[in-house]
Amino acid sequence: VVCAANAAASPAALQPQQSRLTRYGVYRAKRGGATGAADLLCSGAPAQSVAVCIAGAARTLTTPLLQVSIRDNLVRAIGGAVTVLAAVKLEDTRGNKDAGPMDAEKDPVTSALSFIAGGSQERTSRLSEGAELSGDSDAPTCYGSPRWETNFLSLIGQLNGRKACGEMLEAEEARRGSRFDWVVLTRPDLAWWSSVRPVCLWNASVTTSARDWAYIGPRALAQRWLIDLPAKFFNCSDPDIQKTFSTKHHPKKNKKDYT
């Protein structure tokens, strides 16, 4: 079960995203020698490795209750060997319609990510000063003036977050010499109010998602929604995606699941 800790308002106009600072990080979760309930339950199943990627604007990530929910109900509850990846923007350009933008500071966000990963001392990170996540792609010009301008900027930000996670995932897999078995993608401001099922109980033939807030799926299927989809969007290589944003097509005729 997942809940949104902060609902983002749609941008008033299509304009470049601005973000004061961005953080890329790889955190290897440690369990302090203790065996969690998920590991006990899955002790008879093959060992599984899980990559949990936190991507997007930090917003309420620095809230203690939110951090505990992600750590205890996702990272620890899912079991297996967990690696936490992070591609987090500190500046919130969209905000909440009631509270407005929720910017975050570097040190509290860094502490939050370390706490979620279990206080691991082994980590690698990249810092990028500027307006975007390091390596962000610009809005493709092939879509012209999008019909859904209020959602287009949000989509670009989301797919750049996925792109960053995909790059970090592949780099970590190259470092370790093997692929992860499972991949989880979640927003930084998403509270996990109850524990997820242990990894050995998930269906390895499907991806499970909650709107566009969170995804849990086997590595083979994550290739599509984490790595292939952003590439197709930004290089304009998928005709169906172009139809979705084309003013020549009716929106009701082009509803397609791109997860």
Side-chain angles (χ1 to χ4, degrees):
V1 178
V2 294
C3 302
N6 175 58
S10 297
L14 186 62
Q15 55 188 356
Q17 279 189 317
Q18 299 295 319
S19 117
R20 213 160 8 92
L21 178 71
T22 59
R23 179 175 181 83
Y24 277 20
V26 179
Y27 301 75
R28 293 168 187 84
K30 294 182 178 178
R31 305 184 188 283
T35 301
D39 293 327
L40 288 173
L41 181 62
C42 298
S43 59
Q48 301 285 293
S49 58
V50 183
V52 174
C53 190
I54 302 171
R59 292 179 179 145
T60 52
L61 179 63
T62 55
T63 305
L65 179 61
L66 182 62
Q67 296 170 36
V68 171
S69 80
I70 298 173
R71 186 194 66 178
D72 292 354
N73 293 334
L74 174 59
V75 174
R76 290 183 174 178
I78 201 167
V82 179
T83 297
V84 178
L85 312 173
V88 177
K89 295 180 290 188
L90 299 186
E91 186 170 307
D92 179 15
T93 57
R94 298 182 66 203
N96 179 286
K97 64 181 180 180
D98 298 317
M102 298 181 181
D103 295 342
E105 298 298 328
K106 173 186 173 182
D107 289 344
V109 168
T110 301
S111 297
L113 293 172
S114 183
F115 174 84
I116 288 169
S120 171
Q121 298 301 309
E122 183 183 8
R123 71 182 72 169
T124 60
S125 62
R126 287 182 285 171
L127 293 177
S128 175
E129 302 272 359
E132 301 168 326
L133 285 168
S134 177
D136 265 7
S137 297
D138 295 329
T141 59
C142 61
Y143 303 119
S145 298
R147 280 186 288 109
W148 305 324
E149 289 189 348
T150 56
N151 296 326
F152 194 62
L153 179 60
S154 174
L155 178 62
I156 291 171
Q158 286 186 29
L159 293 183
N160 269 316
R162 294 194 197 190
K163 176 174 173 283
C165 283
E167 292 170 351
M168 297 171 67
L169 179 77
E170 292 182 324
E172 182 64 10
E173 290 175 334
R175 185 200 68 82
R176 50 189 268 152
S178 62
R179 275 192 160 197
F180 286 97
D181 298 302
W182 289 82
V183 179
V184 179
L185 176 68
T186 183
R187 287 170 49 151
D189 61 347
L190 190 67
W192 295 72
W193 291 118
S194 64
S195 297
V196 300
R197 296 192 303 274
V199 65
C200 63
L201 301 182
W202 286 92
N203 185 343
S205 65
V206 299
T207 291
T208 301
S209 63
R211 299 182 62 172
D212 59 356
W213 300 338
Y215 299 81
I216 299 178
R219 174 62 175 85
L221 297 184
Q223 179 72 27
R224 177 174 181 258
W225 46 263
L226 188 67
I227 298 172
D228 294 345
L229 176 59
K232 290 179 179 179
F233 176 81
F234 287 116
N235 64 26
C236 304
S237 63
D238 191 318
D240 287 331
I241 297 179
Q242 292 197 41
K243 289 179 182 178
T244 299
F245 291 100
S246 172
T247 55
K248 299 178 181 179
H249 296 82
H250 194 280
K252 292 184 178 179
K253 295 181 181 180
N254 291 286
K255 291 186 177 179
K256 189 176 180 66
D257 179 15
Y258 290 109
T259 61

